[in-house]
Amino acid sequence: MNKKDIHELKRRFTKHGCTFTRMCGCYVDGEHNKVIHIAETFLNLEEEDFFKYLDIAKKVFSGTVGNNVLNLEFPLEEEKPGGKQQFLMGLRESKLKNEKLLDAFYDMVIENYGYAGNYLILIFHDVYDVMKKTKDNLDLDESEEVYEYLLCAICPVTLTKPALGYREDENCIRSRIRDWVVGMPDTGFVFPAFTERSTDIHSLMFYTRDVKKPHAELMEGGLGCGVRLTMAEKKITFENIVKDVIGDGDNKSEILYMDIQDNLNDRVCQYMDRTADEENAADTPPLILTTREVSEVLMESGLTEDQTAAIEKNYEATFGDDLPEAGNLVDAKLVEANARRKDRLELVTQVKNLKEQLEESRSQKVMEEPLEENGEILLKIGEEKKELISVQIIDGKKCLVIPVEEEERILVNHEMYEC
């Protein structure tokens, strides 16, 4: 499902546009006990409850595709009798009126949803009459397909914080009665997927609020789909793969990783510049970071062949066919930090060069100035020789002693002396 597909479904979630036929649910406590069951004809709900439940359903369609919203596919074995896809198909066909199927669904979620606390499982049944569209994206008064689907939302239920409150019945200020409050969904899914305005029974849309720690156990164990990483997970995983090889925690490895980020960002910018002038630039696919691209970025950053080979191997084994977009792996903060670091280094180099030029200018000026006739001595000597100079008393006179090697030359008042 893409942004357009998601928006088409979500925009119908209004007072007059909503077509949910039924809503069921189960409240689960922290010990995984099913406390209460809900079964409602959705359009018969009281208005206040109607909108609160509708907000929960909307939230399942929120966030970024590829991060909060993932497209999961069923393996072939799950589409056979007894498979998870077949079970969901049966649940959809029952229109949520089969209590045994519903109870089995709740058990499936409870068994495969790793959450420490109370939560509410909600499942909605909907039928959407998909209208044909013109080339100008206008609806025609003619049905193209009937899309029947289930929407599940799993919401944490938390106890309100203790506080003082006004008790109207007693006309006093006392400790407020604490309530269990249903929050926005932590996880959810839509089955079957709505792909290119059509039913796709071979996949579903999975929603997660926490993009760094989605409930992979529900994806795989509960829904029978393979685990798919979010953008945030891919970014963290890529960083771990690289730092396992180059090291982590010391200044050298941190600088090296910043250079990798810098080169990766440059590659993304170059790709965007190349595609910006194309006719269908808006539809240009993002840059996928292939193993070859990874190798080039690493070599540009100064990694050895052995380091590059090790990272390539882990990268390919970890991501397989689900390669990340290069732009999603770029850490903008690190790129900015590296730019500031390079600016500081450039400034230090410029200051050093200026000091050297100034010192050279001063020395040249001194060398060009005429010496006084009272015996003033001017010496210009390298740093290595400077450390060997000593003052000694020879024949009762204080002398400056400079050791010289064979074949070294000494220039005194423009006259050359060979040793």
Side-chain angles (χ1 to χ4, degrees), residues 329-394:
L329 301 182
V330 175
D331 190 324
K333 291 183 179 179
L334 285 182
V335 173
E336 291 177 7
N338 202 36
R340 291 194 297 271
R341 181 185 68 85
K342 289 181 176 180
D343 287 343
R344 287 195 298 270
L345 289 176
E346 179 64 24
L347 183 60
V348 169
T349 301
Q350 290 177 2
V351 171
K352 182 180 178 181
N353 291 338
L354 286 173
K355 285 183 176 179
E356 291 176 351
Q357 291 173 12
L358 181 60
E359 186 65 28
E360 185 177 346
S361 176
R362 287 175 176 172
S363 299
Q364 186 66 30
K365 183 178 180 182
V366 170
M367 290 292 291
E368 292 174 354
E369 289 179 353
L371 297 178
E372 300 292 338
E373 293 183 358
N374 60 4
E376 184 176 0
I377 300 172
L378 174 66
L379 291 175
K380 185 176 181 182
I381 192 166
E383 288 294 327
E384 293 181 359
K385 283 288 185 182
K386 183 179 178 181
E387 295 177 357
L388 302 177
I389 296 176
S390 62
V391 177
Q392 299 180 22
I393 303 297
I394 301 176

Side-chain angles (χ1 to χ4, degrees), residues 79-101:
E79 297 191 4
K80 297 177 182 179
K84 300 293 173 51
Q85 185 251 27
Q86 287 293 295
F87 172 74
L88 291 174
M89 291 283 286
L91 189 62
R92 182 189 67 155
E93 291 169 7
S94 75
K95 305 184 188 306
L96 304 183
K97 294 180 180 179
N98 187 317
E99 292 184 7
K100 288 185 178 180
L101 284 178

Side-chain angles (χ1 to χ4, degrees), residues 176-196:
R176 189 181 68 181
I177 298 174
R178 300 177 69 186
D179 297 320
W180 289 95
V181 178
V182 178
M184 285 292 107
D186 171 71
T187 304
F189 68 87
V190 172
F191 171 81
F194 185 62
T195 306
E196 295 182 356

Side-chain angles (χ1 to χ4, degrees), residues 23 48-49 57-58 63 112 117 139 141 160 224 236 238 242 250 282 324 346:
M23 179 193 73
E48 191 172 350
D49 293 341
K58 284 180 182 178
N112 294 282
D139 287 338
D141 192 15
T160 56
I236 294 170
F238 175 74
V242 173
D250 60 284
E346 179 64 24

Side-chain angles (χ1 to χ4, degrees), residues 297-315:
V297 168
L298 297 177
M299 295 298 285
E300 287 171 6
S301 304
L303 271 70
T304 66
E305 290 185 6
D306 290 342
Q307 288 176 321
T308 301
I311 292 172
E312 280 181 17
K313 184 178 178 181
N314 293 338
Y315 182 85

